[in-house]
Tab-separated table of all heavy atoms in Angstrom:
chain	number	residue	atom	x	y	z
A	1	GLN	N	55.430	-30.110	-10.070
A	1	GLN	CA	55.848	-29.221	-8.993
A	1	GLN	C	54.736	-28.214	-8.697
A	1	GLN	O	54.114	-27.687	-9.617
A	1	GLN	CB	57.121	-28.459	-9.402
A	1	GLN	CG	58.319	-29.344	-9.602
A	1	GLN	CD	58.800	-29.903	-8.266
A	1	GLN	OE1	58.750	-29.233	-7.264
A	1	GLN	NE2	59.261	-31.150	-8.286
A	2	LYS	N	54.536	-27.948	-7.401
A	2	LYS	CA	53.559	-26.938	-7.005
A	2	LYS	C	54.243	-25.587	-7.004
A	2	LYS	O	55.374	-25.469	-6.547
A	2	LYS	CB	53.007	-27.233	-5.604
A	2	LYS	CG	52.158	-28.470	-5.536
A	2	LYS	CD	51.615	-28.640	-4.146
A	2	LYS	CE	50.811	-29.912	-4.037
A	2	LYS	NZ	50.299	-30.129	-2.707
A	3	PRO	N	53.568	-24.587	-7.508
A	3	PRO	CA	54.172	-23.258	-7.467
A	3	PRO	C	54.324	-22.793	-6.025
A	3	PRO	O	53.582	-23.199	-5.142
A	3	PRO	CB	53.188	-22.363	-8.227
A	3	PRO	CG	51.984	-23.184	-8.506
A	3	PRO	CD	52.291	-24.598	-8.166
A	4	ALA	N	55.306	-21.941	-5.808
A	4	ALA	CA	55.545	-21.422	-4.456
A	4	ALA	C	54.306	-20.701	-3.957
A	4	ALA	O	53.661	-19.952	-4.699
A	4	ALA	CB	56.737	-20.476	-4.471
A	5	GLY	N	53.935	-20.929	-2.699
A	5	GLY	CA	52.781	-20.257	-2.104
A	5	GLY	C	51.450	-20.891	-2.466
A	5	GLY	O	50.402	-20.337	-2.184
A	6	ALA	N	51.464	-22.032	-3.138
A	6	ALA	CA	50.202	-22.672	-3.509
A	6	ALA	C	49.525	-23.254	-2.274
A	6	ALA	O	50.172	-23.718	-1.344
A	6	ALA	CB	50.470	-23.774	-4.530
A	7	ARG	N	48.201	-23.215	-2.283
A	7	ARG	CA	47.434	-23.773	-1.172
A	7	ARG	C	47.446	-25.291	-1.244
A	7	ARG	O	47.569	-25.868	-2.315
A	7	ARG	CB	45.985	-23.275	-1.227
A	7	ARG	CG	45.904	-21.789	-0.995
A	7	ARG	CD	44.512	-21.292	-0.765
A	7	ARG	NE	43.536	-21.825	-1.708
A	7	ARG	CZ	42.267	-21.478	-1.700
A	7	ARG	NH1	41.821	-20.618	-0.839
A	7	ARG	NH2	41.420	-21.986	-2.559
A	8	PRO	N	47.299	-25.936	-0.083
A	8	PRO	CA	47.213	-27.400	-0.102
A	8	PRO	C	45.985	-27.842	-0.909
A	8	PRO	O	45.059	-27.069	-1.118
A	8	PRO	CB	47.044	-27.769	1.368
A	8	PRO	CG	47.263	-26.534	2.161
A	8	PRO	CD	47.232	-25.380	1.234
A	9	ALA	N	45.992	-29.093	-1.337
A	9	ALA	CA	44.902	-29.610	-2.162
A	9	ALA	C	43.564	-29.519	-1.432
A	9	ALA	O	42.535	-29.295	-2.054
A	9	ALA	CB	45.201	-31.041	-2.560
A	10	PHE	N	43.559	-29.706	-0.117
A	10	PHE	CA	42.308	-29.641	0.638
A	10	PHE	C	42.457	-28.607	1.739
A	10	PHE	O	43.393	-28.663	2.526
A	10	PHE	CB	41.985	-31.002	1.263
A	10	PHE	CG	40.752	-30.960	2.129
A	10	PHE	CD1	39.501	-30.893	1.553
A	10	PHE	CD2	40.854	-30.955	3.507
A	10	PHE	CE1	38.375	-30.841	2.343
A	10	PHE	CE2	39.740	-30.903	4.300
A	10	PHE	CZ	38.487	-30.846	3.718
A	11	GLN	N	41.537	-27.661	1.754
A	11	GLN	CA	41.539	-26.646	2.805
A	11	GLN	C	40.100	-26.492	3.287
A	11	GLN	O	39.192	-26.285	2.496
A	11	GLN	CB	42.062	-25.313	2.274
A	11	GLN	CG	42.132	-24.264	3.350
A	11	GLN	CD	42.764	-22.981	2.836
A	11	GLN	OE1	43.005	-22.818	1.658
A	11	GLN	NE2	43.025	-22.072	3.744
A	12	THR	N	39.913	-26.607	4.583
A	12	THR	CA	38.588	-26.499	5.156
A	12	THR	C	38.059	-25.086	4.968
A	12	THR	O	38.760	-24.116	5.226
A	12	THR	CB	38.622	-26.845	6.658
A	12	THR	OG1	39.234	-28.120	6.808
A	12	THR	CG2	37.239	-26.882	7.254
A	13	SER	N	36.819	-24.984	4.539
A	13	SER	CA	36.209	-23.676	4.339
A	13	SER	C	35.895	-23.030	5.684
A	13	SER	O	35.858	-23.696	6.721
A	13	SER	CB	34.920	-23.824	3.528
A	13	SER	OG	33.936	-24.489	4.312
A	14	LEU	N	35.647	-21.741	5.636
A	14	LEU	CA	35.267	-21.031	6.859
A	14	LEU	C	33.986	-21.614	7.428
A	14	LEU	O	33.861	-21.787	8.643
A	14	LEU	CB	35.088	-19.536	6.565
A	14	LEU	CG	36.358	-18.752	6.306
A	14	LEU	CD1	36.026	-17.343	5.833
A	14	LEU	CD2	37.206	-18.699	7.556
A	15	LYS	N	33.046	-21.913	6.565
A	15	LYS	CA	31.780	-22.482	7.026
A	15	LYS	C	32.010	-23.853	7.663
A	15	LYS	O	31.428	-24.180	8.693
A	15	LYS	CB	30.785	-22.593	5.874
A	15	LYS	CG	29.372	-22.801	6.354
A	15	LYS	CD	28.311	-22.937	5.278
A	15	LYS	CE	28.616	-22.366	3.949
A	15	LYS	NZ	27.532	-22.589	2.974
A	16	GLY	N	32.886	-24.637	7.074
A	16	GLY	CA	33.209	-25.948	7.631
A	16	GLY	C	33.863	-25.841	8.997
A	16	GLY	O	33.547	-26.595	9.922
A	17	ARG	N	34.780	-24.882	9.135
A	17	ARG	CA	35.421	-24.662	10.429
A	17	ARG	C	34.395	-24.214	11.465
A	17	ARG	O	34.418	-24.661	12.611
A	17	ARG	CB	36.525	-23.617	10.306
A	17	ARG	CG	37.740	-24.082	9.547
A	17	ARG	CD	38.762	-22.955	9.434
A	17	ARG	NE	39.827	-23.262	8.521
A	17	ARG	CZ	40.913	-23.949	8.825
A	17	ARG	NH1	41.074	-24.402	10.039
A	17	ARG	NH2	41.835	-24.186	7.920
A	18	ALA	N	33.509	-23.321	11.067
A	18	ALA	CA	32.473	-22.830	11.979
A	18	ALA	C	31.557	-23.977	12.403
A	18	ALA	O	31.210	-24.098	13.584
A	18	ALA	CB	31.666	-21.715	11.324
A	19	LEU	N	31.174	-24.809	11.462
A	19	LEU	CA	30.308	-25.947	11.801
A	19	LEU	C	31.005	-26.917	12.751
A	19	LEU	O	30.374	-27.469	13.657
A	19	LEU	CB	29.866	-26.677	10.531
A	19	LEU	CG	28.776	-25.973	9.730
A	19	LEU	CD1	28.579	-26.654	8.383
A	19	LEU	CD2	27.472	-25.950	10.518
A	20	ARG	N	32.299	-27.119	12.550
A	20	ARG	CA	33.043	-27.994	13.451
A	20	ARG	C	33.035	-27.427	14.871
A	20	ARG	O	32.806	-28.146	15.844
A	20	ARG	CB	34.476	-28.180	12.973
A	20	ARG	CG	35.211	-29.203	13.832
A	20	ARG	CD	36.617	-29.527	13.385
A	20	ARG	NE	36.798	-29.623	11.968
A	20	ARG	CZ	37.717	-28.931	11.286
A	20	ARG	NH1	38.514	-28.103	11.914
A	20	ARG	NH2	37.845	-29.080	9.998
A	21	LEU	N	33.256	-26.121	15.000
A	21	LEU	CA	33.223	-25.484	16.322
A	21	LEU	C	31.822	-25.560	16.933
A	21	LEU	O	31.669	-25.824	18.124
A	21	LEU	CB	33.683	-24.027	16.215
A	21	LEU	CG	35.163	-23.819	15.912
A	21	LEU	CD1	35.442	-22.365	15.568
A	21	LEU	CD2	36.014	-24.267	17.085
A	22	LEU	N	30.802	-25.322	16.113
A	22	LEU	CA	29.429	-25.380	16.613
A	22	LEU	C	29.026	-26.811	16.980
A	22	LEU	O	28.137	-27.006	17.810
A	22	LEU	CB	28.457	-24.806	15.580
A	22	LEU	CG	28.530	-23.293	15.405
A	22	LEU	CD1	27.761	-22.860	14.158
A	22	LEU	CD2	28.003	-22.588	16.642
A	23	GLY	N	29.662	-27.781	16.382
A	23	GLY	CA	29.393	-29.177	16.727
A	23	GLY	C	29.934	-29.549	18.097
A	23	GLY	O	29.456	-30.483	18.734
A	24	GLN	N	30.926	-28.812	18.558
A	24	GLN	CA	31.510	-29.083	19.868
A	24	GLN	C	30.689	-28.448	20.981
A	24	GLN	O	30.494	-29.039	22.033
A	24	GLN	CB	32.949	-28.565	19.914
A	24	GLN	CG	33.855	-29.296	18.958
A	24	GLN	CD	35.202	-28.614	18.795
A	24	GLN	OE1	35.465	-27.564	19.369
A	24	GLN	NE2	36.065	-29.213	17.989
A	25	ARG	N	30.244	-27.200	20.762
A	25	ARG	CA	29.388	-26.491	21.707
A	25	ARG	C	28.818	-25.268	21.011
A	25	ARG	O	29.282	-24.882	19.952
A	25	ARG	CB	30.150	-26.080	22.971
A	25	ARG	CG	31.155	-24.954	22.771
A	25	ARG	CD	31.622	-24.378	24.092
A	25	ARG	NE	32.677	-23.412	23.946
A	25	ARG	CZ	32.485	-22.114	23.667
A	25	ARG	NH1	31.266	-21.651	23.515
A	25	ARG	NH2	33.505	-21.299	23.549
A	26	GLU	N	27.818	-24.664	21.613
A	26	GLU	CA	27.239	-23.444	21.059
A	26	GLU	C	28.244	-22.308	21.180
A	26	GLU	O	28.930	-22.191	22.191
A	26	GLU	CB	25.952	-23.074	21.804
A	26	GLU	CG	24.822	-24.064	21.643
A	26	GLU	CD	24.233	-24.105	20.239
A	26	GLU	OE1	24.389	-23.146	19.457
A	26	GLU	OE2	23.589	-25.117	19.921
A	27	HIS	N	28.331	-21.499	20.150
A	27	HIS	CA	29.198	-20.328	20.136
A	27	HIS	C	28.373	-19.112	19.753
A	27	HIS	O	27.381	-19.232	19.038
A	27	HIS	CB	30.314	-20.479	19.092
A	27	HIS	CG	31.392	-21.432	19.466
A	27	HIS	ND1	31.214	-22.794	19.487
A	27	HIS	CD2	32.670	-21.224	19.840
A	27	HIS	CE1	32.347	-23.378	19.843
A	27	HIS	NE2	33.242	-22.439	20.069
A	28	THR	N	28.804	-17.947	20.189
A	28	THR	CA	28.192	-16.713	19.732
A	28	THR	C	28.866	-16.306	18.431
A	28	THR	O	29.943	-16.807	18.085
A	28	THR	CB	28.355	-15.577	20.762
A	28	THR	OG1	29.745	-15.280	20.909
A	28	THR	CG2	27.751	-15.953	22.109
A	29	ARG	N	28.251	-15.384	17.741
A	29	ARG	CA	28.820	-14.897	16.489
A	29	ARG	C	30.198	-14.272	16.741
A	29	ARG	O	31.142	-14.515	15.994
A	29	ARG	CB	27.872	-13.898	15.850
A	29	ARG	CG	28.344	-13.430	14.496
A	29	ARG	CD	27.384	-12.425	13.889
A	29	ARG	NE	27.872	-12.045	12.580
A	29	ARG	CZ	27.387	-12.505	11.434
A	29	ARG	NH1	26.384	-13.349	11.433
A	29	ARG	NH2	27.899	-12.115	10.285
A	30	LEU	N	30.306	-13.474	17.809
A	30	LEU	CA	31.574	-12.821	18.119
A	30	LEU	C	32.679	-13.850	18.383
A	30	LEU	O	33.817	-13.685	17.933
A	30	LEU	CB	31.417	-11.882	19.313
A	30	LEU	CG	32.662	-11.114	19.725
A	30	LEU	CD1	33.120	-10.194	18.593
A	30	LEU	CD2	32.393	-10.295	20.978
A	31	GLU	N	32.347	-14.916	19.098
A	31	GLU	CA	33.349	-15.965	19.362
A	31	GLU	C	33.842	-16.575	18.052
A	31	GLU	O	35.046	-16.779	17.871
A	31	GLU	CB	32.748	-17.086	20.214
A	31	GLU	CG	32.574	-16.768	21.657
A	31	GLU	CD	31.983	-17.959	22.391
A	31	GLU	OE1	30.826	-18.325	22.126
A	31	GLU	OE2	32.706	-18.527	23.227
A	32	LEU	N	32.913	-16.886	17.156
A	32	LEU	CA	33.308	-17.479	15.877
A	32	LEU	C	34.125	-16.494	15.049
A	32	LEU	O	35.096	-16.901	14.392
A	32	LEU	CB	32.076	-17.951	15.107
A	32	LEU	CG	31.367	-19.169	15.687
A	32	LEU	CD1	30.105	-19.484	14.896
A	32	LEU	CD2	32.278	-20.378	15.741
A	33	GLU	N	33.746	-15.229	15.074
A	33	GLU	CA	34.524	-14.230	14.338
A	33	GLU	C	35.955	-14.170	14.869
A	33	GLU	O	36.906	-14.106	14.091
A	33	GLU	CB	33.866	-12.852	14.451
A	33	GLU	CG	32.611	-12.723	13.621
A	33	GLU	CD	31.855	-11.428	13.873
A	33	GLU	OE1	32.213	-10.675	14.811
A	33	GLU	OE2	30.898	-11.162	13.127
A	34	ARG	N	36.104	-14.199	16.186
A	34	ARG	CA	37.444	-14.156	16.778
A	34	ARG	C	38.261	-15.395	16.415
A	34	ARG	O	39.447	-15.309	16.106
A	34	ARG	CB	37.347	-14.048	18.301
A	34	ARG	CG	36.893	-12.700	18.790
A	34	ARG	CD	36.716	-12.716	20.291
A	34	ARG	NE	36.234	-11.441	20.782
A	34	ARG	CZ	35.682	-11.268	21.976
A	34	ARG	NH1	35.534	-12.300	22.804
A	34	ARG	NH2	35.260	-10.082	22.348
A	35	LYS	N	37.627	-16.556	16.469
A	35	LYS	CA	38.348	-17.801	16.230
A	35	LYS	C	38.683	-18.024	14.757
A	35	LYS	O	39.683	-18.673	14.437
A	35	LYS	CB	37.532	-18.992	16.749
A	35	LYS	CG	37.466	-19.047	18.259
A	35	LYS	CD	36.672	-20.248	18.729
A	35	LYS	CE	36.659	-20.309	20.255
A	35	LYS	NZ	36.018	-21.533	20.744
A	36	LEU	N	37.838	-17.517	13.870
A	36	LEU	CA	38.010	-17.819	12.454
A	36	LEU	C	38.622	-16.678	11.641
A	36	LEU	O	38.918	-16.863	10.463
A	36	LEU	CB	36.652	-18.208	11.846
A	36	LEU	CG	36.004	-19.451	12.448
A	36	LEU	CD1	34.623	-19.675	11.876
A	36	LEU	CD2	36.878	-20.676	12.239
A	37	ALA	N	38.829	-15.530	12.243
A	37	ALA	CA	39.332	-14.361	11.506
A	37	ALA	C	40.669	-14.647	10.825
A	37	ALA	O	40.911	-14.183	9.704
A	37	ALA	CB	39.460	-13.166	12.442
A	38	ARG	N	41.523	-15.420	11.430
A	38	ARG	CA	42.839	-15.677	10.842
A	38	ARG	C	42.764	-16.559	9.595
A	38	ARG	O	43.712	-16.625	8.822
A	38	ARG	CB	43.771	-16.294	11.871
A	38	ARG	CG	43.359	-17.661	12.330
A	38	ARG	CD	44.282	-18.169	13.410
A	38	ARG	NE	43.820	-19.436	13.919
A	38	ARG	CZ	44.592	-20.333	14.461
A	38	ARG	NH1	45.883	-20.090	14.579
A	38	ARG	NH2	44.103	-21.455	14.906
A	39	TYR	N	41.635	-17.237	9.398
A	39	TYR	CA	41.486	-18.098	8.223
A	39	TYR	C	40.804	-17.386	7.060
A	39	TYR	O	40.700	-17.949	5.970
A	39	TYR	CB	40.682	-19.358	8.580
A	39	TYR	CG	41.325	-20.179	9.653
A	39	TYR	CD1	40.792	-20.215	10.936
A	39	TYR	CD2	42.479	-20.918	9.396
A	39	TYR	CE1	41.391	-20.971	11.936
A	39	TYR	CE2	43.086	-21.672	10.387
A	39	TYR	CZ	42.526	-21.692	11.660
A	39	TYR	OH	43.124	-22.434	12.648
A	40	GLU	N	40.328	-16.175	7.282
A	40	GLU	CA	39.630	-15.429	6.233
A	40	GLU	C	40.650	-14.898	5.233
A	40	GLU	O	41.524	-14.112	5.572
A	40	GLU	CB	38.837	-14.283	6.862
A	40	GLU	CG	38.017	-13.503	5.878
A	40	GLU	CD	37.201	-12.406	6.546
A	40	GLU	OE1	37.689	-11.824	7.533
A	40	GLU	OE2	36.101	-12.146	6.069
A	41	GLU	N	40.522	-15.329	3.987
A	41	GLU	CA	41.461	-14.901	2.955
A	41	GLU	C	40.956	-13.666	2.219
A	41	GLU	O	41.745	-12.856	1.775
A	41	GLU	CB	41.700	-16.040	1.969
A	41	GLU	CG	42.423	-17.216	2.595
A	41	GLU	CD	42.619	-18.363	1.632
A	41	GLU	OE1	42.215	-18.254	0.453
A	41	GLU	OE2	43.175	-19.385	2.066
A	42	GLU	N	39.672	-13.552	2.077
A	42	GLU	CA	39.082	-12.427	1.355
A	42	GLU	C	38.115	-11.707	2.296
A	42	GLU	O	37.233	-12.352	2.878
A	42	GLU	CB	38.333	-12.963	0.136
A	42	GLU	CG	37.792	-11.904	-0.778
A	42	GLU	CD	37.088	-12.538	-1.970
A	42	GLU	OE1	37.617	-13.499	-2.537
A	42	GLU	OE2	35.997	-12.053	-2.286
A	43	PRO	N	38.270	-10.406	2.488
A	43	PRO	CA	37.390	-9.675	3.415
A	43	PRO	C	35.909	-9.875	3.069
A	43	PRO	O	35.518	-9.845	1.913
A	43	PRO	CB	37.794	-8.211	3.218
A	43	PRO	CG	39.181	-8.263	2.670
A	43	PRO	CD	39.258	-9.524	1.867
A	44	GLY	N	35.143	-10.129	4.111
A	44	GLY	CA	33.699	-10.298	3.934
A	44	GLY	C	33.243	-11.737	3.826
A	44	GLY	O	32.059	-12.023	3.999
């Protein structure tokens, strides 16, 4: 049994998500910050 609140076995990293977005088109830093902020678990 997985403990309550456990993360899935595979979770895309912030860098992986950013690379996926950059693979679709060029983004500015601000755009990536806006799009990826909700996935940041630890500040910084």
Side-chain angles (χ1 to χ4, degrees):
Q1 295 290 324
K2 292 183 183 179
R7 294 192 314 182
F10 176 74
Q11 182 175 9
T12 306
S13 69
L14 288 172
K15 196 181 337 178
R17 289 178 191 275
L19 284 170
R20 186 176 321 126
L21 290 169
L22 289 167
Q24 295 169 358
R25 71 166 174 84
E26 295 291 339
H27 286 72
T28 64
R29 184 181 182 102
L30 181 62
E31 284 180 294
L32 290 176
E33 287 172 352
R34 288 175 182 163
K35 289 181 178 186
L36 298 175
R38 66 184 175 154
Y39 300 107
E40 183 178 34
E41 293 178 1
E42 186 179 316

